[in-house]
Amino acid sequence: ALTRQFLPFLKRGCIITDVGSVKGAVVRELERLTRGSGVHFVGSHPMAGSEKMGVGAAHAGLFEQAVCVVTPTGTTPVGAVRRIVRLWRAVGSRVIRMTPDEHDVLVSRSSHVPHVIAAALANLVLQPAHGENQGLLCATGFRDTTRIASGSPEMWRDITLANQQNIERVLKHMIGDLKEFSRALKRQDEGAIRKFFEQAKAFRDAWAAGVRLESPE
């Protein structure tokens, strides 16, 4: 709606980008709106920030070493893509390119479903019916696991609806994994339970060793 309103006031050659967490639907709609106008849209998603909202949460190094995904399509002018890549590199980001749909598949696993799980855990554990002692027994592990549940409910409503199909597929897979773990627990399968935690530790440790995070490990 905003793009439709300000489009008549933009000069030919102007480049629009965004910082949204879902790219497929956004890119398709904005490319449709800008087609033939002389204005170009290039999708962007900087993987930076936190659960905090608003300009008060910004800081000078926000994008330093953060990955920024740029999502051109087959009709995006090469010159426009280059300028957006230069923009993100100028503020310290590490730019990678992929299609809008590939981006949405990957972030459904690494960003969107983790938010759903954090919210589900907070809802399960912190409901008042459990009593005040429940909260007293929630320490740093619970705090770190549920931190992102403090994000904007309105924003996460919109994100999950916009990436619905990918999120549903990942949730189905995760529910299957949890059911398998539950079965191993029921039959007291020590080997399967140990493998579950060993594999998770190996994957997590290898990932953490190869990335640069805003907050220290």
Side-chain angles (χ1 to χ4, degrees), residues 124-135:
L124 172 68
V125 176
L126 298 178
Q127 55 182 283
H130 295 326
E132 61 180 23
N133 285 340
Q134 177 69 84

Side-chain angles (χ1 to χ4, degrees), residues 17-75:
T17 193
D18 72 321
V19 294
S21 185
V22 180
K23 296 268 72 78
V26 172
V27 171
R28 285 188 289 271
E29 178 65 11
L30 289 184
E31 283 193 338
R32 184 188 66 80
L33 286 175
T34 57
R35 190 175 297 123
S37 67
V39 173
H40 309 300
F41 175 76
V42 183
S44 300
H45 180 201
M47 308 291 290
S50 68
E51 77 283 3
K52 297 180 174 62
M53 297 166 280
V55 294
H59 56 85
L62 180 60
F63 300 114
E64 284 291 337
Q65 296 303 318
V67 168
C68 181
V69 185
V70 174
T71 59
T73 69
T75 61

Side-chain angles (χ1 to χ4, degrees), residues 60-186:
L62 180 60
F63 300 114
E64 284 291 337
Q65 296 303 318
V67 168
C68 181
V69 185
V70 174
T71 59
T73 69
T75 61
T76 311
V78 173
V81 178
R82 287 175 179 164
R83 292 183 67 180
I84 292 301
V85 168
R86 285 200 299 269
L87 166 69
W88 288 114
R89 286 177 176 165
V91 295
S93 295
R94 294 178 289 146
V95 178
I96 61 174
R97 305 186 196 190
M98 61 182 66
T99 67
D101 289 339
E102 181 186 6
H103 166 276
D104 288 355
V105 168
L106 295 179
V107 296
S108 70
R109 300 189 194 104
S110 62
S111 177
H112 301 167
V113 166
H115 273 82
V116 174
I117 293 169
L121 189 59
N123 283 330
L124 172 68
V125 176
L126 298 178
Q127 55 182 283
H130 295 326
E132 61 180 23
N133 285 340
Q134 177 69 84
L136 295 175
L137 297 184
C138 294
T140 54
F142 179 83
R143 180 200 64 193
D144 295 344
T145 305
T146 59
R147 174 184 59 82
I148 53 178
S150 292
S152 164
E154 293 78 16
M155 182 181 75
W156 281 101
R157 173 202 61 199
D158 294 344
I159 288 172
T160 52
L161 288 173
N163 204 18
Q164 174 191 347
Q165 291 183 347
N166 288 320
I167 291 172
E168 285 181 344
R169 279 194 290 267
V170 179
L171 284 173
K172 184 177 180 180
H173 193 156
M174 172 153 284
I175 289 168
D177 288 346
L178 290 173
K179 286 182 177 179
E180 185 176 335
F181 180 82
S182 180
R183 288 191 292 268
L185 199 61
K186 186 175 182 178

